[in-house]
RNA sequence: GGGCGUGUAGCUCAGUUGGUCAGAGCGCUGCGUUCACAUCGCAGAGGUCACAAGUUCGAGCCUUGUCACGCCCACCA
């Protein structure tokens, strides 16, 4: 496919046309296709983050993903075939939540499938949500994610990301589900996974278990309630300060510190829980701290993870009073574990709590406590930290249930070692990882009581009474994968046996979405027949998901393959509001990536992203994009100008060599250019795209402001060969050096270069310019720097005299070291030209430093345009 | 409570191993340019490099302490 009809550059820079032309051209020519015949050494592998599909792309996505793209493009030009996949993380809770709101529906797994149901977008969400079956719900998720994903894809294409779109995946696709289920079975066989019935952190809104990594602390306004407990015998009493009085019915013990003298006398005795007359032991335990509250506290099932830990050791029964929905369960005192000295009284009080939320129950129990006189004094306000599921609005509860756990705790040391083998950029981010690994205190709960996710490939046998045997699950055969145990049947069973005694039931949970996204290396490899293996080269990601995505990926690579998943991890920063807070949703929605691409052009937005260093949060500053647009414009115009000179030069052999570049100024300039490239390459070798851009950009402005001006006259003259070929080389090099950053404008220019015969179809397939290309051609920086400095000083003198730059120089005395004088006097024609000096106006005297000793300008000079004005005026 | 990071011109940020390191862009002011580019060029003003002490011939850069901001982690009765 050809790029465009007319090969020459347009008169003006038409960004939109260029972008459309490029996008089409790159796709049609498979410019970014990964070549699976190349060896590992010739391949650069990127573990691209699959963005969560739950709404729209944020400018922060564009920021970090573009930085990775710049690296990918550099590596491609550096001679590697780049394995650069892209996926959409569409399974999981964020998607479910969006789907519920978008269609105003909710999943009720009890309902049968309704083939006629078609989800429709509802603007108005005030009506009660329509309940639909699990299968209908998943179909709705599929539908909405598919449309969201096509929008994401457009934005990524518009910004010019060079993914190999043949390597596209979604985390809910059958292929991904298969890989995720294989991972589960592998870890299960290796005994890294087990199902455990235990108190688990539970979000009551989404009614699902959640993992430690998804928990965050939030400051909450609460109250201390001072509650009087009688000691058995009724002679004595003590006060407990608690923020959660609604847990009184689940009290299993009272504890105080062993050294606390105030409570020594109670140890070994029993306390009576008010309202419910539960007899509980008063126990000495390090768990309590003397100077907190009243120093004595109640242990309930469960107020916090400390309660869970204490309960596990104690051998006490579990009294679960909070249900999965966060409401008080309907329990009966005098039955089972709910003992009471006075069941009738306990039940009378507890009946008033049944069905209430914890918050409502707290208010009610305060009433009851006040009535019976157990509540001492006023409630005392306190702000304290409470654990929340990161996506939830209510505190988490500990609910006992059966869940699948990945045994990470026993891997702690290996995880830390693996983290040390990986190169973190910036390096201090490794600390974040290590601290998280060190602080891990729970295994990874991977089951979620949700619907849109990867099902566990597991069924349970039912005994003759219809009770499931959780200890001996039926694991799917690998050949069956992917399976949905709710609709598929285990080997040697029939659908008729589902739910019947001696039959089976399917595991109805789905996996934590991280359990699947921690497999992005394996998922990506599944898309190709390449012989690639872990470890990959780089994992780009943001720092907020070090404890989840990075951590779990390292864990899985370790458990599956006993290797690190990548050699380098590049941590990007955040885009912050001007007030340095993390950019808010509302603002992000106003300034959408597409809006910015439309306003400044994709290359300019990319320029903005490329300027920021890794790992550093930066305030959003739109002006950088305006600056980028100026650069893009300059690249276009300077190239166009240079190409016009070349076209009119009468030169047709564009080969650049020591024979063709004969002028010393040109040699000296090319030396400058060459050393900038050396610097840029060095920066890129440590993934420092920002450093690379800086040196290239700096040299480019030098080229425009100085070199072009210096050689202009010579390039138009008879003896123009060296200057013209130097321009050819300069433009060719700049186009390639800017290509990773500004792929659109550089492609547009590359396609118009008249010396492209036999070269790759796209600039993005050419080789990265290195200093080796200049071998034998270049000299050193002395001459160019000298002319450049003098040019600038003469310019300054003219500016300060309020004269036009065209003003001729009558006399210019230059002081310089002998070495510089000999260079300048032999090759000073450009200096004469650029300063517009009269013949023989330049003189040299010896001095220690290069400087202008004396300058005399032609004050009688009148520019052409002024003359005309005078005539008219 | 523990850890990490940041603090450089009005704003956003560079400053690699301590010695032209006091910078860039934007903004502001002035001047110029219209035959590559007004999406332009040139120049100017502006900073005790958070503060204090120390190491050193020499510190924005190293050490210690202080302050401010941000982030991460922490059993939060």
């Amino acid at each position: 496919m050809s790029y465009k009809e007319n090969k020459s550059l347009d008169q003006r820079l038409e960004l939109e046309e260029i972008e459309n032309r490029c996008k089409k051209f790159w796709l049609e020519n498979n410019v970014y296709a990964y070549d699976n015949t190349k060896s590992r050494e010739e391949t650069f592998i990127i573990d691209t983050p699959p963005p969560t599909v739950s709404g729209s792309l944020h400018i922060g996505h564009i920021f970090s993903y573009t930085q990775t793209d710049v690296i990918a493009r550099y590596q491609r030009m550096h001679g590697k075939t780049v394995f650069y996949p892209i996926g959409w993380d569409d399974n999981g809770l964020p998607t479910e939540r969006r789907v519920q709101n978008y269609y105003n529906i909710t999943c009720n797994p009890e309902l049968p499938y309704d083939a006629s149901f078609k989800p429709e977008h509802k603007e108005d969400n005030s009506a009660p949500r329509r309940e639909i079956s699990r299968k209908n719900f998943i179909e709705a998720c599929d539908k909405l994610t598919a449309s969201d994903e096509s929008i994401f894809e457009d934005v990524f294409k518009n910004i010019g990301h060079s993914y190999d779109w043949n390597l596209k995946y979604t985390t809910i696709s059958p292929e991904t589900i298969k890989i995720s289920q294989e991972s589960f079975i592998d870890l299960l066989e290796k005994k890294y996974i087990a199902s455990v019935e235990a108190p688990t952190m539970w979000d009551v809104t989404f009614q699902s278990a959640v993992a430690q990594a998804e928990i965050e602390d939030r400051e909450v306004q609460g109250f201390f309630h001072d509650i009087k407990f009688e000691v058995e015998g009724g002679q004595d009493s003590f006060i407990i300060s608690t923020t959660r009085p609604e847990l009184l019915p689940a009290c299993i013990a009272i504890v105080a510190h062993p050294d606390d003298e105030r409570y020594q006398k109670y140890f070994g005795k029993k306390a009576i829980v008010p309202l419910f007359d539960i007899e509980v032991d008063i126990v000495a335990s390090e768990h309590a701290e003397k100077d907190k509250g009243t120093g004595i506290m109640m242990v309930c099932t469960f107020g916090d993870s400390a309660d869970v830990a204490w309960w596990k050791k104690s051998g006490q029964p579990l009294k679960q009073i909070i249900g999965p929905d966060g409401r008080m369960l309907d329990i009966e005192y005098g039955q089972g574990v709910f003992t009471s000295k006075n069941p009738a009284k306990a039940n009378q009080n507890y009946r008033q709590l049944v069905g209430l939320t914890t918050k409502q129950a707290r208010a009610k129990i305060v009433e009851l406590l006040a009535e019976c006189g157990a509540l001492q004094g006023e409630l005392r306000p306190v702000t304290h930290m409470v654990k929340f599921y990161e996506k939830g609005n209510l505190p988490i509860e500990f609910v006992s249930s059966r869940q699948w756990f990945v045994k990470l705790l026993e891997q702690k040391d290996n995880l830390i070692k693996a983290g040390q083998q990986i190169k973190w950029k910036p390096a201090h981010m490794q600390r974040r990882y290590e601290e998280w690994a060190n602080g891990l205190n729970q295994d990874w709960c991977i089951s979620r009581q949700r619907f849109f996710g990867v099902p566990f490939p597991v069924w349970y046998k039912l005994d003759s009474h219809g009770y499931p045997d959780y200890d001996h699950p039926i694991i799917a055969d690998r050949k069956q994968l992917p399976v949905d145990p709710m609709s598929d049947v285990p080997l040697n069973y029939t659908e008729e046996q589902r739910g019947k005694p001696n039959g089976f039931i399917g595991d109805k949970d789905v996996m934590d979405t991280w359990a699947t996204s921690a497999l992005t290396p394996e998922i990506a490899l599944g898309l190709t027949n390449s012989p690639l293996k872990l470890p990959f080269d780089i994992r780009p990601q943001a720092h907020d998901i070090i404890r989840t995505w990075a951590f779990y990926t390292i864990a899985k690579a370790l458990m599956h393959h006993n290797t690190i998943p990548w050699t380098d991890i590049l941590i990007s920063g955040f885009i912050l509001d001007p007030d340095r807070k993390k950019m808010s949703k509302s603002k992000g929605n106003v300034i959408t990536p597409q809006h910015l691409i439309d306003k400044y052009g994709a290359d300019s937005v990319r320029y903005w992203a490329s300027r920021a260093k890794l790992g550093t949060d930066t305030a959003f500053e739109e002006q950088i994009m305006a600056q980028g647009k100026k650069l893009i414009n300059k690249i276009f115009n300077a190239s166009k100008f240079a190409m016009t000179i070349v076209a009119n030069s009468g030169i047709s052999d564009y080969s650049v060599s020591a024979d063709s570049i004969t002028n010393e100024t040109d040699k000296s300039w090319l030396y400058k250019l060459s050393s900038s490239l050396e610097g840029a390459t060095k920066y890129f070798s440590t993934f420092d795209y920002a450093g690379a851009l800086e040196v290239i950009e700096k040299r480019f402005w030098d080229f425009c402001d100085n070199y072009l001006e210096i050689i202009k006259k010579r390039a138009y003259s008879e003896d123009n060969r060296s200057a013209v070929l130097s321009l050819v080389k300069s433009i060719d090099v700049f186009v390639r050096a800017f290509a990773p950053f500004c792929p659109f404008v550089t492609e547009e220019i590359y396609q118009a270069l008249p010396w492209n015969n036999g070269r790759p179809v796209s600039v993005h397939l050419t080789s990265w310019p290195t200093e080796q290309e200049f071998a034998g051609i270049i000299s050193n920086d002395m001459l160019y720097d000298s002319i450049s400095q003098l040019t600038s000083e003469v310019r300054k003198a003219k500016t300060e005299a309020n004269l036009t730059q065209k003003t001729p120089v009558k006399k210019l005395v230059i002081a310089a070291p002998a070495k510089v004088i000999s260079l300048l006097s032999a090759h000073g024609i450009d200096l004469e030209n650029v300063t517009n000096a009269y013949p023989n106006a330049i003189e040299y005297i010896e001095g220690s430093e290069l400087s202008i000793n004396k300058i005399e300008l032609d004050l009688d000079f009148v520019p052409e345009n002024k003359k005309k004005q005078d005539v008219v005026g």
Side-chain angles (χ1 to χ4, degrees):
Chain A
M1 296 292 159
S2 71
Y3 181 75
K4 72 177 198 187
E5 291 286 312
N6 176 6
K7 290 205 87 181
S8 64
L9 290 179
D10 298 336
Q11 197 52 40
R12 282 184 55 82
L13 180 63
E14 300 294 347
L15 289 176
E16 208 183 318
E17 282 176 29
I18 293 174
E19 287 169 14
N20 289 332
R21 201 147 51 214
C22 286
K23 281 186 287 186
K24 194 159 163 267
F25 180 74
W26 294 334
L27 269 182
E28 284 173 351
N29 288 280
N30 249 328
V31 168
Y32 307 120
Y34 157 67
D35 179 354
N36 68 0
T37 63
K38 291 282 166 57
S39 70
R40 177 65 182 89
E41 289 68 39
E42 298 166 303
T43 309
F44 188 77
I45 320 180
I46 300 172
D47 188 14
T48 318
T52 306
V53 184
S54 60
S56 47
L57 277 172
H58 186 270
I59 187 65
H61 286 113
I62 297 305
F63 180 70
S64 54
Y65 280 70
T66 298
Q67 293 165 349
T68 307
D69 183 64
V70 170
I71 292 169
R73 287 177 177 278
Y74 165 77
Q75 291 291 342
R76 195 176 289 114
M77 295 178 76
H78 197 60
K80 302 282 181 84
T81 184
V82 178
F83 184 77
Y84 194 14
I86 181 69
W88 311 122
D89 193 8
D90 45 14
N91 94 50
L93 200 48
T95 301
E96 286 192 22
R97 198 163 45 171
R98 173 160 155 76
V99 166
Q100 289 178 351
N101 292 332
Y102 192 84
Y103 296 124
N104 202 33
I105 53 176
T106 188
C107 179
N108 180 350
E110 307 294 323
L111 293 176
Y113 178 62
D114 174 2
S116 67
F117 176 73
K118 295 269 179 294
E120 274 168 35
H121 177 46
K122 298 277 193 300
E123 291 289 345
D124 178 20
N125 259 338
S126 60
R129 282 184 181 160
R130 175 166 175 181
E131 291 194 348
I132 58 170
S133 74
R134 185 171 183 269
K135 191 172 173 190
N136 285 116
F137 187 73
I138 290 172
E139 283 177 1
C141 290
D142 284 334
K143 180 179 174 183
L144 187 59
T145 53
S147 87
D148 282 349
E149 283 156 15
S150 82
I151 296 168
F152 276 37
E153 185 165 335
D154 284 346
V155 175
F156 278 172
K157 281 179 176 163
N158 291 344
I159 194 73
H161 290 176
S162 61
Y163 309 114
D164 181 348
W165 289 98
N166 303 311
L167 302 179
K168 184 175 76 175
Y169 64 87
T170 68
T171 57
I172 199 62
S173 71
E175 295 78 15
T176 302
I177 290 177
K178 178 169 186 262
I179 288 170
S180 191
Q181 290 181 334
E182 276 170 352
S183 158
F184 174 83
I185 293 173
D186 185 47
L187 296 185
L188 193 65
E189 285 171 354
K190 289 175 171 164
K191 307 251 184 287
Y192 289 129
I193 285 185
S195 94
V196 180
E197 166 98 40
T200 309
M201 291 198 281
W202 186 272
D203 182 84
V204 298
T205 311
F206 298 104
Q207 299 195 36
S208 174
V210 294
Q212 188 185 352
E214 296 161 291
I215 299 301
E216 63 186 28
D217 290 351
R218 291 184 204 160
E219 222 171 51
V220 166
Q221 183 66 243
F223 292 94
F224 276 126
H225 304 69
D226 295 333
I227 300 169
K228 187 162 90 178
F229 280 61
E230 305 280 342
V231 179
E232 62 178 334
Q235 301 300 310
D236 216 344
S237 69
F238 55 86
I239 309 289
I240 280 179
S241 280
T242 179
T243 52
R244 298 203 61 184
E246 75 277 15
L247 290 174
L248 277 176
C251 183
I252 55 169
I254 302 293
V255 297
H257 197 274
D259 299 340
D260 196 329
E261 294 183 358
R262 291 170 294 179
Y263 303 112
Q264 292 290 336
K265 54 188 170 179
Y266 302 139
F267 292 147
K269 292 191 175 171
K270 290 187 186 298
I272 311 298
V273 178
L275 297 180
F276 306 99
D277 287 11
I278 311 165
E279 272 191 333
V280 291
D281 294 329
I282 303 172
V283 189
S285 168
E286 313 268 339
H287 177 25
E289 285 178 46
K290 283 194 272 189
D291 49 0
K292 274 197 177 165
T294 54
I296 190 161
M297 60 183 282
M298 59 178 188
V299 179
C300 305
T301 53
F302 296 97
D304 57 31
S305 57
D307 284 347
V308 176
W310 196 92
W311 166 81
K312 272 186 187 158
K313 277 191 289 184
S314 73
Q316 291 279 336
L318 194 167
K319 299 179 185 172
Q320 187 75 51
I321 58 165
I322 298 173
D325 56 357
R327 292 174 182 274
M328 304 297 278
L329 289 170
D330 186 0
I331 55 113
E332 184 86 22
Y333 280 89
Q335 293 198 2
V337 299
F338 292 98
T339 55
S340 168
K341 284 182 75 178
N342 187 348
K345 173 184 169 195
N347 283 327
Q348 194 199 341
N349 284 325
Y350 191 82
R351 300 299 341 146
Q352 306 183 54
L353 305 175
V354 173
L356 300 183
T357 64
T358 49
K359 200 177 166 189
Q360 293 164 337
R362 192 174 306 156
K364 188 74 202 171
I365 216 158
V366 165
E367 248 175 61
L368 296 173
L369 284 168
E371 277 171 24
C372 79
L375 189 66
Q376 306 288 300
E378 297 294 311
L379 303 189
R380 289 175 292 122
V382 58
T383 25
H384 58 150
M385 301 303 264
V386 178
K387 284 195 191 304
F388 282 74
Y389 173 51
E390 61 189 357
K391 296 184 175 72
N393 298 321
L394 290 169
I396 60 141
E397 297 293 348
F398 287 82
V399 172
S400 188
S401 52
R402 177 168 288 275
Q403 309 287 348
W404 289 102
F405 285 88
V406 179
K407 294 187 240 169
L408 291 182
L409 291 179
E410 60 188 34
Q411 294 290 325
K412 238 186 209 189
D413 291 345
N414 292 333
L415 283 163
I416 290 168
K417 274 184 209 137
Q420 288 162 349
Q421 286 163 30
I422 296 165
K423 293 197 282 290
W424 296 72
K425 196 171 168 72
H428 66 82
M429 289 297 178
Q430 194 205 329
R431 223 38 215 236
R432 294 266 284 268
Y433 170 85
E434 210 161 305
E435 273 178 29
W436 175 256
N438 261 322
L440 203 66
N441 56 34
Q442 292 166 30
D443 281 328
W444 177 17
C445 175
I446 55 164
S447 38
R448 298 287 181 278
Q449 289 63 53
R450 301 296 310 176
F451 318 105
F452 194 58
V454 175
F456 287 86
V458 168
W459 298 265
Y460 304 100
K461 278 179 263 187
L462 298 178
D463 66 13
S464 56
H465 304 288
Y467 289 111
D469 177 6
Y470 289 114
D471 293 328
H472 305 92
I474 308 167
I475 309 300
D477 188 277
R478 281 188 162 82
K479 290 189 209 85
Q480 285 180 281
L481 303 181
V483 307
D484 180 359
M486 297 306 281
S487 55
D488 297 322
V489 177
L491 293 180
N492 307 320
Y493 284 84
T494 61
E495 183 59 36
E496 286 67 44
Q497 292 174 277
R498 187 184 294 276
K500 304 278 166 56
N502 295 317
F504 70 92
I505 54 165
D507 191 321
K508 61 183 189 310
D509 291 350
V510 297
M511 292 182 204
D512 176 7
T513 178
W514 293 116
T516 300
S517 49
L519 295 166
T520 46
E522 288 87 347
I523 295 168
L525 292 183
L527 300 171
T528 168
N529 294 319
S530 95
L532 298 178
K533 283 192 303 202
L534 275 61
F536 282 15
D537 287 291
I538 60 166
R539 152 64 70 87
Q541 65 162 79
H543 51 71
D544 56 335
I545 51 175
I546 288 174
R547 67 179 185 175
T548 49
W549 196 38
F551 185 78
Y552 291 146
T553 308
I554 293 170
K556 282 214 164 184
L558 197 63
M559 292 184 288
H560 285 303
H561 316 292
N562 196 27
T563 179
I564 50 174
W566 355 266
T567 55
D568 292 82
I569 180 164
L570 312 182
I571 305 291
S572 68
F574 280 145
I575 295 303
L576 305 173
D577 274 341
D579 63 0
R580 300 208 61 83
K581 291 269 189 292
K582 192 173 168 182
M583 200 151 193
S584 56
K585 267 255 169 66
S586 57
K587 182 135 194 171
N589 286 339
V590 175
I591 309 171
T592 64
Q594 192 55 53
H595 165 85
L596 292 166
I597 294 171
D598 293 343
K599 186 167 174 191
Y600 297 100
D603 282 339
S604 307
V605 177
R606 293 176 60 99
Y607 171 84
W608 161 77
S610 309
R611 287 252 315 215
K613 306 263 178 205
L614 280 171
T616 309
D617 295 347
T618 30
F620 178 76
E621 206 192 2
E622 211 173 310
Q623 278 180 338
I624 305 284
M625 296 185 202
Q627 195 184 327
K629 196 166 179 182
K630 278 164 72 172
L631 173 66
I632 306 306
N633 187 58
K634 196 77 175 176
I635 293 172
F636 181 82
N637 278 310
S639 304
K640 193 173 60 167
F641 177 52
M643 282 157 68
T644 307
I645 293 175
V646 171
N648 298 333
S649 67
I651 290 169
S652 54
D653 178 4
Y654 299 121
S655 53
V656 176
S657 65
D659 294 338
S660 46
I661 307 287
T662 50
N663 179 282
E664 288 300 320
T665 311
D666 298 334
K667 289 181 174 209
S668 185
W669 151 254
L670 290 176
Y671 169 82
K672 301 289 287 186
L673 180 56
S674 155
S675 41
S676 294
L677 290 174
E678 195 180 346
T681 306
K682 204 171 154 193
Y683 278 119
F684 262 127
S685 70
T686 61
F687 307 114
D688 189 349
Y689 49 83
L693 174 59
E694 196 182 335
V695 294
I696 294 165
E697 191 189 351
K698 217 170 172 180
R699 186 58 60 219
F700 176 69
W701 284 106
D702 179 26
F703 171 74
C704 295
D705 297 345
N706 299 312
Y707 184 68
L708 272 180
E709 295 301 325
I710 289 169
I711 65 158
K712 228 178 207 174
K713 250 187 186 166
R714 183 156 52 86
Y716 286 130
S717 74
E718 289 290 298
D719 183 20
N720 63 353
R721 186 169 150 80
S722 180
V724 167
L725 289 174
S726 173
L727 279 182
V728 166
K729 187 67 185 170
S730 302
I731 290 301
D732 198 73
V733 160
F734 278 125
V735 164
R736 282 180 289 148
F738 278 120
F741 307 98
C742 319
F744 294 98
V745 73
T746 50
E747 185 73 283
E748 174 80 4
I749 297 164
Y750 176 80
Q751 295 297 335
L753 297 177
W755 53 85
N756 265 359
N757 276 342
R759 296 180 92 187
V761 66
S762 162
V763 69
H764 304 297
L765 297 173
T766 61
S767 58
W768 174 253
T770 63
E771 63 275 19
Q772 278 92 340
E773 293 183 19
F774 298 85
I777 299 175
I778 54 182
S779 58
N780 59 56
D781 55 7
M782 192 182 282
L783 182 60
Y784 180 73
D785 281 351
S786 303
I787 295 177
S788 207
Q789 183 192 327
L790 293 167
T791 303
S792 145
E793 283 181 30
V794 169
R795 200 149 48 194
K796 191 170 163 182
K798 288 177 181 175
T799 300
E800 278 170 2
N802 282 353
L803 293 168
T804 161
Q805 294 301 325
K806 287 184 176 143
T807 310
V809 174
K810 279 163 84 174
K811 188 162 196 165
L812 180 62
V813 181
I814 294 164
K819 213 172 158 185
V820 177
I821 292 177
S822 72
L823 259 181
L824 283 173
S825 49
H827 312 288
I829 181 69
D830 289 333
L831 182 62
E832 213 172 277
N833 289 338
V834 71
T835 56
N836 199 18
Y838 288 135
N840 304 319
I842 300 179
E843 289 171 24
Y844 298 97
I845 58 169
E846 209 159 314
S848 59
E849 275 182 6
L850 179 66
S851 63
I852 292 180
N853 184 273
K854 187 178 171 190
I855 182 166
E856 221 174 279
L857 301 172
D858 184 352
L859 301 176
D860 300 328
F861 173 76
V862 181
E864 291 296 317
N865 56 339
K866 296 275 189 233
K867 279 182 199 163
K868 278 181 205 157
Q869 269 180 8
D870 286 347
V871 172
V872 174

